[in-house]
Amino acid sequence: MTDLSRRDFLKLTRDGFLYLSGALAFGGLLRFLSHETNSARKTEFDLGFVDKYPLGSRASISEIPALLIHTDSGFTALSLTCTHLGCTLKPNETGFACPCHNSSFDAEGKVTHGPAVKPLKALRIEITDEGNLKVFTA
């Protein structure tokens, strides 16, 4: 074995640390680039048979923050997500209230008190040939 001078030892150590840090950075970059994105969110929800919802009923949909309303003109669904910053609304005596910033909406989803300026989003509803009710969030 040859004698290793102090200078050569320090160069070898420095080069080793540089190669190691480069390899770790490259590994981190590969891990970042190979990250799998989240799968697409479900946008179609089967609510069961139409008979479950009698005329005049207002039912909350358990899978998503939404309200299903059955009137003489048919079914409608309102998203219970505040149009201001996306908080989930809570029902109150006049309609719905946002617990985050105190926006208020009436029973039809219209804004009665800001800071929200847009009404609640109406969700698309379909009745299948079998009589099932489906709601679509997108």
Side-chain angles (χ1 to χ4, degrees):
M1 183 165 175
T2 62
D3 286 335
L4 192 61
S5 70
R6 184 175 180 194
R7 177 174 288 164
D8 291 338
F9 174 75
L10 290 175
K11 282 182 184 178
L12 187 62
T13 304
R14 180 198 64 198
D15 290 345
F17 279 128
L18 285 175
Y19 288 129
L20 179 65
S21 64
L24 289 174
F26 185 68
L29 179 66
L30 286 178
R31 184 173 179 208
F32 173 75
L33 293 175
S34 67
H35 177 72
E36 292 185 28
T37 58
N38 293 338
S39 61
R41 291 174 34 164
K42 186 176 175 184
T43 59
E44 179 181 326
F45 299 90
D46 189 356
L47 303 180
F49 289 106
V50 174
D51 302 339
K52 282 178 42 178
Y53 306 99
L55 189 64
S57 66
R58 298 170 69 87
S60 62
I61 301 171
S62 60
E63 293 93 2
I64 54 173
L67 181 72
L68 180 69
I69 305 166
H70 188 186
T71 61
D72 292 331
S73 59
F75 286 98
T76 57
L78 288 177
S79 171
L80 293 181
T81 302
C82 182
T83 56
H84 176 234
L85 290 178
C87 299
T88 301
L89 300 175
K90 305 286 184 210
N92 65 13
E93 57 277 348
T94 60
F96 308 100
C98 178
C100 301
H101 299 105
N102 294 326
S103 291
S104 295
F105 301 87
D106 64 11
E108 284 78 40
K110 296 181 183 87
V111 178
T112 58
H113 183 267
V117 293
K118 296 179 185 174
L120 295 178
K121 179 181 174 187
L123 303 176
R124 184 170 59 101
I125 296 209
E126 280 184 11
I127 299 175
T128 64
D129 295 336
E130 298 84 29
N132 276 355
L133 199 59
K134 289 191 176 190
V135 64
F136 298 86
T137 58

